[in-house]
């Protein structure tokens, strides 16, 4: 075992609180028959995820399976009746955490995932006023959608950070090279190279492409075939860039997510070789949360495109370049 005699999140209040809220999101079938035998499958998946935070000694195969399944349910299953409600629960908790903890109180070394999301939130909140001013308030919905989705990640980043800290204490540099600082993003008023929009057929093509990529990449990640994940990300970035050129549009956030998956897979492969596969299960889950969110976050790109037509660089100018490939 990697962490003998350790307890990661024993009686963690955040996990317990979220567990209770997710338990209340019953399906219609369960409301009709609330007997234990009819326990809602989605609720069971959520309960398993939050229970995995308690007194766990090792990030093993079962943990990776549970976490990956929960992320797929929460961020990719938009056909589920409680999809929006689950996001709202996470968003509310993320907002609470963000307001309760000042930026200076967060250790960048201890919480790299949380710091990255919070830095992105701060950039978007700071630039929101500029974009709203030059659009007469029209960009407000884009900013709100983006920040809402970022808030929904915050309750989960802390779980990754705590596990990553345990790896680093064991001398394994998990999550050290997986995030790019926000300091080097473009200025908000940088002129755009492309100002077009995806038409209805283009949007269908994008959804189809991302669904296929999510399925293939999720399967490769579940097998811990990190080289395959990298190749799939490389191909997806190429296809998305070609789509941008054909439609003269921007898909910056979608590409950002796919590149981030590729970078994580590259780091996962390197650490797997250096540390005898001891990081494989952790990186399977870390890659899974990003894969699961790609299609959801791509909606931000689509909502931003009408403003790109007006020359407003929202989203495009707000993302750092990721060193992948």
């Amino acid at each position: 075992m990697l962490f003998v005699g350790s307890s990661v999140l024993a009686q963690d209040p955040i996990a317990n609180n979220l567990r209770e809220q997710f338990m209340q999101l019953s399906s219609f079938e369960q409301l009709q028959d609330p007997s234990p035998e009819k326990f809602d499958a989605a609720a069971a998946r959520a309960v398993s995820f939050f229970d995995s935070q308690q007194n766990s000694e090792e990030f093993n195969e079962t943990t990776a399976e549970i976490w990956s399944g929960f992320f797929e349910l929460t961020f990719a299953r938009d056909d589920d009746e409680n999809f929006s409600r689950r996001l709202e629960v996470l968003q509310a908790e993320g907002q609470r955490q963000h307001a309760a903890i000042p930026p200076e109180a967060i250790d960048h070394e201890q919480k790299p995932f949380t710091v990255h999301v919070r830095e992105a939130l701060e950039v978007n909140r700071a630039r929101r006023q500029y974009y709203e001013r030059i659009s007469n308030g029209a960009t407000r919905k884009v900013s709100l959608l983006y920040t809402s989705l970022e808030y929904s990640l915050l309750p989960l980043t802390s779980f990754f950070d705590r596990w990553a800290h345990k790896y680093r204490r064991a001398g394994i540099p998990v999550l050290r090279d997986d995030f790019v600082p926000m300091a080097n993003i473009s200025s908000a008023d940088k002129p755009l190279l492309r100002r077009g929009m995806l038409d209805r057929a283009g949007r269908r093509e994008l959804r189809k492409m991302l669904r296929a990529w999510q399925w293939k990449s999720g399967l490769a990640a579940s097998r811990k075939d990190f080289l395959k994940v990298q190749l799939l990300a490389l191909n997806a970035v190429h296809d998305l860039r070609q789509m941008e050129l054909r439609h003269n549009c921007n898909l910056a956030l979608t590409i950002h997510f796919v590149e981030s998956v590729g970078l994580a897979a590259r780091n996962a492969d390197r650490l797997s070789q250096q540390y005898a596969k001891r990081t494989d299960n952790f990186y399977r889950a870390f890659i899974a949360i990003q894969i699961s969110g790609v299609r959801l976050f791509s909606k931000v790109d689509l909502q931003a495109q009408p403003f790109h037509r007006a020359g407003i660089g929202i989203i495009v100018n707000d993302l750092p370049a990721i060193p992948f490939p």
Side-chain angles (χ1 to χ4, degrees), residues 122-154:
E122 291 304 317
V123 166
N124 295 327
R125 289 174 60 177
R127 292 190 170 193
R128 173 180 169 178
Q129 293 182 348
Y130 167 76
Y131 292 132
E132 288 185 8
R133 185 173 70 252
I134 63 175
S135 69
N136 293 320
T139 57
R140 183 177 293 113
K141 289 185 178 180
V142 179
S143 297
L144 284 175
L145 173 62
Y146 191 15
T147 54
S148 294
L149 293 177
E150 289 176 318
Y151 278 128
S152 72
L153 291 174
L154 271 184

Side-chain angles (χ1 to χ4, degrees), residues 206-224:
L206 177 64
R207 287 194 297 269
K208 182 178 179 181
M209 178 194 303
L210 293 180
R211 282 185 185 277
W213 176 80
Q214 282 180 308
W215 185 83
K216 293 176 183 178
S217 297
L219 182 61
S222 71
R223 295 171 175 170
K224 289 168 262 189

Side-chain angles (χ1 to χ4, degrees), residues 55-319:
N55 300 313
S56 182
E57 298 290 344
E58 185 178 12
F59 205 107
N60 55 29
E61 188 88 30
T62 300
T63 309
E65 183 74 24
I66 289 171
W67 284 38
S68 299
F70 175 75
F71 300 144
E72 191 272 338
L73 170 73
T74 305
F75 296 111
R77 287 284 303 279
D78 52 3
D79 58 341
D80 184 88
E81 61 188 292
N82 285 318
F83 178 75
S84 296
R85 294 172 67 192
R86 280 190 288 268
L87 285 177
E88 288 170 1
V89 168
L90 290 174
Q91 176 192 339
E93 175 60 27
Q95 288 178 307
R96 188 198 66 77
Q97 290 182 27
H98 190 269
I101 307 174
E104 60 272 15
I106 299 179
D107 189 323
H108 287 229
E109 290 293 324
Q110 302 294 331
K111 299 183 178 181
F113 198 175
T114 298
V115 167
H116 179 70
V117 174
R118 287 180 65 109
E119 285 180 346
L121 272 164
E122 291 304 317
V123 166
N124 295 327
R125 289 174 60 177
R127 292 190 170 193
R128 173 180 169 178
Q129 293 182 348
Y130 167 76
Y131 292 132
E132 288 185 8
R133 185 173 70 252
I134 63 175
S135 69
N136 293 320
T139 57
R140 183 177 293 113
K141 289 185 178 180
V142 179
S143 297
L144 284 175
L145 173 62
Y146 191 15
T147 54
S148 294
L149 293 177
E150 289 176 318
Y151 278 128
S152 72
L153 291 174
L154 271 184
L156 307 177
T157 62
S158 61
F159 300 146
F160 279 100
D161 284 335
R162 293 181 194 185
W163 265 110
H165 179 56
K166 297 191 74 64
Y167 277 100
R168 289 194 296 273
R169 283 173 54 191
I172 303 175
V174 163
L175 296 190
R176 188 187 64 186
D177 302 315
D178 293 283
F179 304 107
V180 179
M182 299 294 293
N184 297 324
I185 61 175
S186 301
S187 62
D189 59 355
K190 180 181 177 180
L192 295 177
L193 295 176
R194 294 179 296 275
R195 297 191 178 190
M197 295 174 55
L198 286 180
D199 55 18
R200 183 175 297 180
R203 291 185 178 215
R204 283 199 303 268
E205 181 186 358
L206 177 64
R207 287 194 297 269
K208 182 178 179 181
M209 178 194 303
L210 293 180
R211 282 185 185 277
W213 176 80
Q214 282 180 308
W215 185 83
K216 293 176 183 178
S217 297
L219 182 61
S222 71
R223 295 171 175 170
K224 289 168 262 189
D225 186 348
F226 300 124
L227 179 58
K228 180 69 172 179
V229 175
Q230 291 178 70
L231 293 174
L232 288 167
L234 185 63
N235 290 335
V237 169
H238 174 268
D239 292 343
L240 289 165
R241 295 288 189 199
Q242 290 299 308
M243 183 176 289
E244 284 186 321
L245 292 174
R246 289 198 308 274
H247 294 270
N248 191 36
C249 69
N250 299 289
L251 296 168
L253 187 56
T254 308
I255 292 173
H256 181 82
F257 258 76
V258 175
E259 289 177 334
S260 183
V261 167
L263 176 63
R266 187 168 68 200
N267 291 333
D269 189 49
R270 173 175 53 82
L271 292 174
S272 179
Q273 295 179 46
Q274 291 178 353
Y275 296 98
K277 301 184 182 297
R278 284 183 288 174
T279 57
D280 284 8
N281 288 314
F282 177 86
Y283 267 95
R284 174 190 171 185
F286 178 60
I287 290 169
I289 192 173
Q290 297 180 77
I291 291 172
S292 297
V294 168
R295 193 158 43 84
L296 181 60
F297 276 79
S298 72
K299 296 179 181 180
V300 179
D301 278 330
L302 298 178
Q303 285 200 14
Q305 286 180 357
F307 304 106
H308 298 161
R309 175 165 286 181
I312 300 172
I314 187 170
I315 306 301
V316 178
N317 290 336
D318 306 330
L319 300 168

Side-chain angles (χ1 to χ4, degrees), residues 15-34:
N16 289 337
N17 178 47
L18 289 172
R19 182 186 191 277
E20 291 304 312
Q21 292 188 68
F22 272 71
M23 279 288 292
Q24 296 172 17
L25 303 180
S26 302
S27 67
F28 176 77
E29 289 78 8
Q30 188 179 7
L31 291 173
Q32 294 295 102
D33 184 1

